[in-house]
Amino acid sequence: MLEIRTVRAAEHALEVSPRDEFNNKLIANVHPPEWRNPDPAPRYNLVVIGAGTAGLVTAAGAAGLGARVALIERSLMGGDCLNVGCVPSKSVIRSSRVCADIREARNFGIDAPAGATADFSAVMERMRRIRSGISRHDSAHRFADLGVDVFLGDAKFAGPDTVEVAGKTLRFKKAALATGARAIAPPIDGLREAGYLTNETVFNLTELPRSLLVIGGGPIGCELAQAFCRLGSEVTIVEIGEQLLGREDQEAAEILARSLERDGVQIRLSASVKRVTSNGLAKVVCLESGGRQETISVDEILVGAGRAPNVEGLNLEAAGVEYDRKKGVVVNDHLQTTNPRIYAAGDVCLQYKFTHTADAAARIVIQNALFLGRKRLSALTVPWCTYTDPEIAHVGLYEREANERGISVDTFQIPLSGIDRAIADGEEEGFVKIHVKKGSDRILGATIMARHAGEMISEITLAMVGKVGLGTIASVIHPYPTQAEAIKRAADAYNRTRLTPFVKGLLERWLAWVRLMLRERLRVEAVAEKASGARRVSVFLRLFARRHC
Ligand SMILES: Cc1cc2nc3c(=O)[nH]c(=O)nc-3n(C[C@H](O)[C@H](O)[C@H](O)COP(=O)(O)OP(=O)(O)OC[C@H]3O[C@@H](n4cnc5c(N)ncnc54)[C@H](O)[C@@H]3O)c2cc1C
């Protein structure tokens, strides 16, 4: 018996608007209104709950290896990344970069019209077009074609090996929890009543807010603050910590703050929102920063101040799965929950909430859950990037983390202002900073700040994963001119430190000896030359005498 998805599933559905051709196509792919859930198999090798990155990768990988797989999604397949995260944010950021480039055009000798403005509604339409195009990869029909039984509805455990969805009961040998996380708002007086945007609603906008208050100076807050400012909003960002991007390299965070301020973003650090009221026309926000009170009026408030794992409503108790409302589902290093049949992947359990970590965790789950694998989460080397302009990418340890762990490091830093390509591109703001274990070339971590730092960090990640030392990177030819040359320069800088006074003394003596030998050879050749000159003269005189005398 086939059954149309339940109304309850729609309760959790992300609101997608406007309902134009692109959003209709998106919905048709990721939550088809006419979808009929299949009849469940008697028992699944794997039931996957949540069809974001972690769930999709787990389901597709397992089905591809021959497992009988069910995938359950209550809202939009593709999860946050496709619908309200990476894809829409990076599309909007791209448009905002064009805006910034046009404003800078005169510095490049281009006579761009002064005061070029963004057509926000066209920017958002472009984003919706891109998102709907990409959505076919995550579509319900595509996954059904891959051999996955796709169920649209709210999943809830009924026991340690049983899940219920839309009135059906699925029994499993193994299950994977991949229910992700959601935006949370801090408990601020009047915020809820005044209304606010999160990443779940901001991409529905079709009109640019004239002014925007961004609560939270983390990656989401910084990326969207800069993008909206460049597109024409008056943006203020409020961060409770002492720097933007709290866990990032301090120097990088300071450069970013300067870059945002140049764009026109107002930054309030060590600041918090005390109260919000609405006067019908605007939201009036009372801030406290550095002991001073300030009141500003804005059209919209965007909250990017943290995320909470989706652990509620799953009846995890019935399955014997322990969880924490803040940290998410408890897993061991093999991503196994407290119910050995059930694994977890992605934002619901990971500290690093990224699409690429969700993907990597899913691959671990497939091997460990289905094939007696013993893959470990702790073995992963995880890079990340904040897509501001310039971008900040990082992998491994920060210097302060190394210090906290009692590991001494040597740091090699190359400013982009010394890199020809960065100079030619007018992108000199930034640096490559690589930390190695003191006295060795073992790379422990790196931060790159550059316009395309996200593209550059993989070279360092590869070196770390492949245990390639910084010294070896010095012998890798980097095409000239590229900004990645800064990485090679850092490696060259490392190689120069191998020149200890002893080695330097040896080299100096060797070179002095080479010079001495050269001088001696030249002297011997000169003597020989003189002798052969004298011989030539005497031969000439003898011939001359024979002929003429
Ligand atoms: C604005 C923004 C920008 C981002 N940009 C980047 C970026 O540039 N790069 C990057 O790497 N990461 C980025 N991220 C993070 C990235 O989106 C997440 O890390 C990633 O989507 C996590 O995937 P997931 O599968 O764990 O969870 P999700 O994508 O959240 O998927 C979980 C799914 O489970 C479903 N679900 C939950 N409960 C149930 C239930 N009971 N029954 C059925 N289904 C359920 C949900 O509806 C959802 O579809 C960004 C996030 C945001 C918010």
Side-chain angles (χ1 to χ4, degrees):
M1 255 287 279
L2 298 173
E3 188 182 292
I4 299 176
R5 72 189 164 93
T6 61
V7 178
R8 190 159 154 62
E11 278 173 23
H12 292 284
L14 290 166
E15 189 195 321
V16 180
S17 76
R19 281 305 182 103
D20 63 355
E21 59 172 307
F22 303 118
N23 276 345
N24 285 341
K25 187 171 149 197
L26 174 77
I27 300 286
N29 278 332
V30 297
H31 198 110
E34 78 300 341
W35 188 259
R36 285 161 186 267
N37 287 335
D39 286 332
R43 198 176 176 89
Y44 288 97
N45 293 106
L46 188 68
V47 168
V48 182
I49 304 176
T53 306
L56 292 174
V57 173
T58 309
L65 293 168
R68 191 79 214 255
V69 181
L71 174 63
I72 309 173
E73 172 55 55
R74 70 180 179 189
S75 179
L76 307 182
M77 292 179 67
D80 278 7
C81 180
L82 171 70
N83 299 293
V84 291
C86 329
V87 171
S89 65
K90 269 74 245 178
S91 306
V92 172
I93 285 170
R94 182 68 185 95
S95 295
S96 75
R97 276 195 179 195
V98 173
C99 254
D101 284 347
I102 291 173
R103 280 176 204 139
E104 286 286 305
R106 281 172 193 277
N107 292 337
F108 293 82
I110 310 295
D111 195 11
T117 52
D119 176 349
F120 185 75
S121 124
V123 167
M124 296 308 263
E125 185 180 294
R126 172 182 179 274
M127 176 278 290
R128 293 194 298 274
R129 176 167 46 79
I130 288 167
R131 181 172 63 180
S132 69
I134 293 177
S135 71
R136 69 170 185 277
H137 302 301
D138 298 352
S139 78
H141 288 289
R142 177 170 170 255
F143 273 74
D145 289 346
L146 292 175
V148 174
D149 282 355
V150 176
F151 293 84
L152 296 183
D154 216 337
K156 197 172 179 176
F157 285 97
D161 65 351
T162 318
V163 173
E164 286 175 351
V165 52
K168 314 246 181 191
T169 301
L170 315 186
R171 292 177 65 80
F172 59 81
K173 184 90 176 88
K174 296 284 167 57
L177 269 166
T179 50
R182 62 185 184 280
I184 46 166
I188 295 169
D189 238 11
L191 179 64
R192 180 190 284 266
E193 295 74 10
Y196 58 90
L197 300 164
T198 67
N199 70 292
E200 287 165 17
T201 46
V202 71
F203 300 110
N204 290 341
L205 291 179
T206 51
E207 272 180 44
L208 181 73
R210 271 170 309 161
S211 51
L212 179 70
L213 181 91
V214 177
I215 302 178
I220 295 172
C222 287
E223 287 182 6
L224 292 179
Q226 188 178 44
F228 272 77
C229 179
R230 288 177 160 191
L231 293 172
S233 271
E234 277 174 30
V235 178
T236 305
I237 189 165
V238 179
E239 164 56 43
I240 201 161
E242 289 172 2
Q243 68 167 54
L244 297 174
L245 303 179
R247 75 175 166 201
E248 265 336 314
D249 179 278
Q250 190 185 342
E251 195 179 350
E254 284 167 6
I255 296 176
L256 175 63
R258 287 202 294 277
S259 171
L260 291 180
E261 280 172 340
R262 260 202 318 278
D263 280 317
V265 177
Q266 302 270 335
I267 301 173
R268 302 283 183 274
L269 296 177
S270 305
S272 56
V273 176
K274 292 291 159 205
R275 222 171 20 263
V276 181
T277 50
S278 172
N279 63 15
L281 292 171
K283 299 173 204 295
V284 183
V285 182
C286 178
L287 300 178
E288 192 176 282
S289 102
R292 280 189 327 122
Q293 299 257 342
E294 184 185 354
T295 302
I296 55 173
S297 290
V298 290
D299 282 354
E300 288 290 356
I301 297 172
L302 172 68
V303 176
R307 305 186 53 74
N310 292 323
V311 288
E312 296 83 4
L314 285 156
N315 200 14
L316 291 172
E317 293 75 9
V321 173
E322 276 178 29
Y323 63 92
D324 177 287
R325 282 185 195 279
K326 283 190 181 150
K327 293 186 187 155
V329 168
V330 177
V331 287
N332 63 19
D333 204 17
H334 304 291
L335 291 174
Q336 196 171 32
T337 69
T338 45
N339 175 342
R341 289 170 184 273
I342 303 177
Y343 289 71
D347 284 5
V348 74
C349 64
L350 297 182
Q351 181 195 354
Y352 296 115
K353 298 191 185 335
F354 303 113
T355 292
H356 46 277
T357 39
D359 180 304
R363 289 159 201 263
I364 291 178
V365 166
I366 294 170
Q367 296 185 53
N368 291 356
L370 298 181
F371 301 106
L372 308 172
R374 300 296 290 162
K375 294 280 176 210
R376 290 180 179 277
L377 181 66
S378 57
L380 297 179
T381 302
V382 180
W384 56 81
C385 183
T386 300
Y387 298 90
T388 44
D389 191 7
E391 295 175 354
I392 302 176
H394 181 83
V395 62
L397 294 180
Y398 294 97
E399 191 171 359
R400 61 162 194 281
E401 282 178 326
N403 292 339
E404 281 159 19
R405 294 184 197 183
I407 305 170
S408 304
V409 296
D410 287 323
T411 299
F412 299 93
Q413 180 164 352
I414 303 295
L416 290 189
S417 55
I419 300 297
D420 292 359
R421 177 59 188 272
I423 298 168
D425 285 342
E427 294 168 5
E428 294 151 67
E429 207 168 37
F431 57 80
V432 165
K433 201 184 257 194
I434 303 176
H435 312 297
V436 294
K437 190 164 188 290
K438 199 169 193 60
S440 82
D441 74 341
R442 202 178 124 215
I443 302 171
L444 297 178
T447 298
I448 299 180
M449 181 159 209
R451 202 170 206 208
H452 296 288
E455 309 288 345
M456 292 163 71
I457 199 73
S458 295
E459 179 175 357
I460 308 287
T461 312
L462 175 65
M464 290 176 71
V465 172
K467 302 205 179 342
V468 173
L470 188 56
T472 307
I473 293 183
S475 60
V476 175
I477 298 174
H478 289 63
Y480 175 87
T482 52
Q483 296 194 14
E485 261 191 292
I487 297 172
K488 181 170 161 27
R489 291 274 189 89
D492 288 339
Y494 161 76
N495 267 354
R496 281 195 295 277
T497 64
R498 291 162 76 184
L499 210 57
T500 59
F502 174 71
V503 176
K504 197 169 175 221
L506 275 183
L507 292 179
E508 276 171 4
R509 257 176 276 157
W510 160 258
L511 291 170
W513 186 77
V514 168
R515 280 198 307 275
L516 186 74
M517 288 297 102
L518 182 64
R519 215 168 35 227
E520 191 57 20
R521 206 182 88 203
L522 290 176
R523 195 183 62 74
V524 169
E525 277 174 9
V527 169
E529 181 69 12
K530 215 186 265 176
S532 84
R535 247 196 328 275
R536 274 202 299 274
V537 169
S538 79
V539 169
F540 172 76
L541 287 175
R542 249 184 284 141
L543 286 175
F544 185 84
R546 208 179 287 161
R547 253 198 216 169
H548 300 289
C549 303

